[in-house]
Amino acid sequence: MLARGPEILGAYRRSGKEFQVSPAGVVPLLGSVAAAVSEAIGRVRPDLAGADPIVRRSDRADFQSNAALPLAKKSGAKPAELAESLVWDLDAAGLEVVESVTLSGPGFLNIVVTDAAIWSQVSARLADDRLGVAADAAGQRVVIDYSGPNVAKEMHVGHLRTTIIGDSLARVLDFLGADVIRANHLGDWGTQFGMLIQYIDEHPETPWHQDELTDRQASAVSALDMLYKAARTRFDADQEFADRARRRVVALQTGDESTVARWKEIVAESEKAFAAIYDRLGVLLTSGDYVGESFYNPMLADTVTELLDKTVAIDSDGAIVVASQDVTGPDDTPAVLMVRKSDGGYGYDSTDLATIRYRITSLHADRLLYVTDSRQALHFQLVFEAARRAGWLTDAVTVDHVAYGTVLGPDGKPFKTRAGGTVRLMDLLDDAVTAARTVVTEKNPDLPAAELDAIAEQAGIGAVKYADLSTSRIKDYTFDPARMTAFTGNTGVYLQYAHARICSILRKAEDLDGISVDPSITLGPAERELGLTLDGYGTVIDEVATTLEPHRLAGYLYELARAFTAFYDTCPVLTAPEPVRGNRLALSQLTARTLGHGLGLLGIAAPERL
Ligand code: ARG
């Protein structure tokens, strides 16, 4: 067994920077190397003990430490001299993990690890359900606010990204051991309900339940959407109806029984439609996660009182507002949050204030994430500022607006239907699945139709998610079904296919249970690259948890698939003599499991055949 070195890690941890150790005791090579360099720094220059060893993967060696330059600057030493003494010290330490350390440039250390250390990683990760990944977020409670569609309106392209990104972050943080609370902040309250309920009452013949439509109608339109449009048209055209609708709002707000009952029916009908989308997307959201705006109604009055008492909110012509101390509008006046309108009504701002207060003071969240498009950045900035001033949001709680860009249509503009309307989410998914059906059929001309349908569904949905998650989230991206479902390039289908191909190699190997890794085998360059890439899995997951950028994981999985291809092109697996065959099978198996698991964290299926 290799000295992966608890003693080494101890030193690194003392430096104040925890390095992940999985529950099964697996330490990534990056961590061991960083710990070794950290120790060397402490020995060579005790005054610099605890400094960050700045170790990264490198093209020139396995790892590189860039610490000597900044440390020399800090301590007045010559960079080359400091780096040289680190090389010398690391050599003399005779570590089992480190094969060689050489000096490069004005003070970089190029570090090569031993073949045995890489093999030992492979076998340790393979033996662990968690693939050697530490549970770095254990003990943390995270509320993730995502999806948040609006009741009585159909989910549209605008809800795609929040649902997909939020789902992936929920999976990543959950895997890292966090206590994740998924909060689907449904738009289930507001003045529009007065109009809808009044219209239903006056037009009892209007179908507004989806199952009242014929199958043909139901596949093309949403009954609730039709109701919404009809009610809106009437509201805008008929002053008296509008007045009756407004009185209905009051009836709803004051708890009139029949009005509230009708409202509940409408919410339930909408939730059915949302569930159908969530089901198809395969996201984790369930009805237990629906905590709509209405949930916060009973807390609104208290929230306002507290904000007034703390003089965070002020009266402004009868309205209660929070004037920002940080942000000013175009006319140089402070940006404001509308806490309560002058007519006594509450809106989106009021609810979000009550929501953040509840999540911190009642749910005791350590971390709050809000996944909405970047156009809501100012809104959340103001909500966070108010929460800070109110004393709810302290330094013990982190809060992030997880902003993302727009989904663009084929013309490079925000996605609209040909007629200029909003694109239904279901239609988008259908388009992607249809495109996937074409490529999957080309690849498997002999499969029966039902099987092709099932594969196309997984490939199409996976393609939509991957296209979204592989783009840096703040950027816009174009929804292009043909490109998203291509078998080549950085696509979900490519990764699913790479995974399925390795599964097929493994199926042919048969004797997988007996795989054992012989650490004395010399690694070829492609094997080494693959082994080191596999070793970086936990590091990239941690990065996603910190930066809230799933595209880092997507990019990692793509690199991993490519590293496997390069390996498989040059290293025969099934026909290699033992013990090389066993080692290569272990690399293949760990790659398949890592790809499958990583796709899972993105919410993407990894079928064994494609
Ligand atoms: N319903 C809102 C929308 O469709 C999204 C809700 C986001 N969450 C929140 N706490 N404001 O834009």
Side-chain angles (χ1 to χ4, degrees):
M1 200 57 224
L2 294 168
R4 254 186 273 113
E7 46 327 318
I8 297 184
L9 280 165
Y12 192 43
R13 221 169 277 138
R14 276 195 301 281
S15 79
K17 197 167 166 186
E18 290 275 337
F19 218 96
Q20 46 163 352
V21 183
S22 81
V26 183
V27 178
L29 289 168
L30 179 72
S32 303
V33 169
V37 178
S38 175
E39 281 242 308
I41 294 172
R43 280 191 301 261
V44 167
R45 289 290 302 254
D47 55 318
L48 297 174
D52 186 345
I54 320 186
V55 172
R56 311 256 182 281
R57 278 292 302 283
S58 154
D59 303 335
R60 303 193 189 163
D62 296 337
F63 298 97
Q64 187 172 58
S65 163
N66 300 343
L69 280 179
L71 289 181
K73 204 169 174 190
K74 194 169 135 195
S75 64
K78 289 209 174 84
E81 267 170 33
L82 179 58
E84 245 168 74
S85 39
L86 288 175
V87 171
W88 185 86
D89 181 274
L90 283 163
D91 263 345
L95 300 166
E96 284 184 57
V97 173
V98 176
E99 176 73 42
S100 70
V101 186
T102 48
L103 194 59
S104 130
F108 303 119
L109 307 187
N110 283 343
I111 301 158
V112 176
V113 294
T114 59
D115 290 357
I118 295 177
W119 285 125
S120 141
Q121 280 297 317
V122 171
S123 73
R125 287 177 190 277
L126 213 42
D128 181 8
D129 280 348
R130 297 183 54 86
L131 300 167
V133 177
D136 280 351
Q140 218 186 88
R141 174 166 288 184
V142 190
V143 177
I144 311 184
D145 182 318
Y146 67 109
S147 198
N150 299 315
V151 164
K153 288 193 197 150
E154 209 174 356
M155 279 181 83
H156 57 81
V157 56
H159 296 110
L160 182 66
R161 301 204 70 187
T162 170
T163 307
I164 292 177
I165 296 168
D167 183 62
S168 175
L169 293 177
R171 289 170 191 269
V172 166
L173 289 162
D174 175 74
F175 176 59
L176 291 179
D179 171 15
V180 173
I181 299 178
R182 298 183 297 262
N184 193 353
H185 196 81
L186 299 180
D188 65 353
W189 199 250
T191 46
Q192 74 273 26
F193 286 100
M195 163 185 107
L196 294 173
I197 295 168
Q198 191 61 32
Y199 192 87
I200 292 174
D201 266 17
E202 294 182 19
H203 303 265
E205 73 292 348
T206 306
W208 58 275
H209 294 93
Q210 201 63 8
D211 59 14
E212 289 175 80
L213 302 181
T214 65
D215 283 352
R216 263 192 68 183
Q217 283 175 314
S219 68
V221 294
S222 141
L224 265 180
D225 235 28
M226 277 166 43
L227 170 75
Y228 193 96
K229 284 184 186 126
R232 177 96 247 167
T233 310
R234 180 84 196 276
F235 185 91
D236 290 339
D238 178 346
Q239 199 50 54
E240 278 164 26
F241 174 77
D243 287 339
R244 291 197 295 278
R246 283 195 198 93
R247 284 199 291 279
R248 261 312 166 108
V249 178
V250 179
L252 179 63
Q253 285 169 345
T254 50
D256 171 67
E257 227 174 273
S258 68
T259 307
V260 170
R262 190 62 100 196
W263 167 73
K264 282 192 180 154
E265 269 183 77
I266 297 177
V267 174
E269 178 67 18
S270 265
E271 287 182 354
K272 268 197 244 164
F274 301 152
I277 296 258
Y278 295 149
D279 243 26
R280 186 152 191 213
L281 278 175
V283 294
L284 298 171
L285 287 172
T286 65
S287 55
D289 306 318
Y290 294 164
V291 193
E293 294 175 6
S294 63
F295 175 82
Y296 302 95
N297 283 347
M299 306 169 209
L300 294 172
D302 277 355
T303 306
V304 178
T305 310
E306 191 178 334
L307 288 169
L308 282 170
D309 286 349
K310 292 180 168 169
T311 66
V312 175
I314 48 166
D315 190 298
S316 162
D317 293 328
I320 308 293
V321 300
V322 177
S324 174
Q325 296 173 342
D326 301 339
V327 192
T328 47
D331 51 355
D332 263 1
T333 59
V336 294
L337 276 178
M338 182 56 71
V339 183
R340 196 177 66 204
K341 294 177 205 151
S342 52
D343 66 3
Y346 299 107
Y348 193 61
D349 294 358
S350 329
T351 312
D352 262 325
L353 287 165
T355 302
I356 196 166
R357 175 176 177 259
Y358 175 78
R359 287 179 183 164
I360 297 172
T361 61
S362 300
L363 294 180
H364 304 292
D366 303 297
R367 193 174 188 192
L368 302 177
L369 309 181
Y370 292 83
V371 190
T372 79
D373 79 49
S374 47
R375 284 170 299 186
Q376 293 198 42
L378 176 60
H379 169 74
F380 285 111
Q381 190 185 347
L382 297 176
V383 169
F384 300 163
E385 184 200 328
R388 218 173 278 286
R389 283 164 60 192
W392 307 324
L393 186 56
T394 62
D395 289 344
V397 182
T398 44
V399 50
D400 282 288
H401 174 218
V402 185
Y404 54 82
T406 309
V407 181
L408 306 176
D411 56 357
K413 298 206 182 100
F415 212 167
K416 290 265 183 302
T417 59
R418 238 167 259 228
T422 42
V423 182
R424 302 166 70 212
L425 200 40
M426 265 309 182
D427 293 344
L428 278 187
L429 300 182
D430 284 341
D431 290 350
V433 170
T434 306
R437 182 71 155 75
T438 312
V439 289
V440 168
T441 310
E442 275 165 23
K443 265 259 185 311
N444 308 278
D446 306 325
L447 278 188
E451 232 168 288
L452 283 173
D453 286 343
I455 297 175
E457 182 74 20
Q458 287 185 313
I461 300 295
V464 170
K465 290 186 171 186
Y466 191 81
D468 194 309
L469 295 171
S470 59
T471 325
S472 159
R473 66 174 153 72
I474 207 69
K475 287 196 194 143
D476 300 343
Y477 78 93
T478 303
F479 195 92
D480 177 347
R483 207 193 55 82
M484 286 176 353
T485 55
F487 261 96
T488 52
N490 190 6
T491 68
V493 178
Y494 168 74
L495 285 181
Q496 285 174 322
Y497 183 62
H499 171 263
R501 202 171 52 131
I502 308 172
C503 289
S504 120
I505 297 166
L506 294 170
R507 273 196 299 276
K508 287 185 200 130
E510 288 166 357
D511 48 348
L512 285 177
D513 288 344
I515 292 188
S516 69
V517 177
D518 180 344
S520 70
I521 305 270
T522 307
L523 280 159
E527 290 168 310
R528 173 171 221 92
E529 184 56 35
L530 180 57
L532 288 169
T533 305
L534 287 164
D535 187 59
Y537 186 48
T539 309
V540 80
I541 295 176
D542 270 349
E543 260 176 47
V544 174
T546 312
T547 60
L548 308 168
E549 292 177 341
H551 78 271
R552 292 167 187 259
L553 175 57
Y556 168 86
L557 295 174
Y558 183 59
E559 288 312 318
L560 179 59
R562 287 170 35 120
F564 184 83
T565 304
F567 154 78
Y568 197 63
D569 284 350
T570 50
C571 306
V573 175
L574 295 170
T575 56
E578 287 296 358
V580 173
R581 180 174 184 270
N583 279 28
R584 289 185 179 164
L585 276 173
L587 274 175
S588 308
Q589 199 178 27
L590 185 58
T591 306
R593 279 182 52 197
T594 306
L595 275 178
H597 190 270
L599 284 170
L601 291 182
L602 296 177
I604 297 174
E608 293 195 1
R609 292 167 209 262
L610 199 73

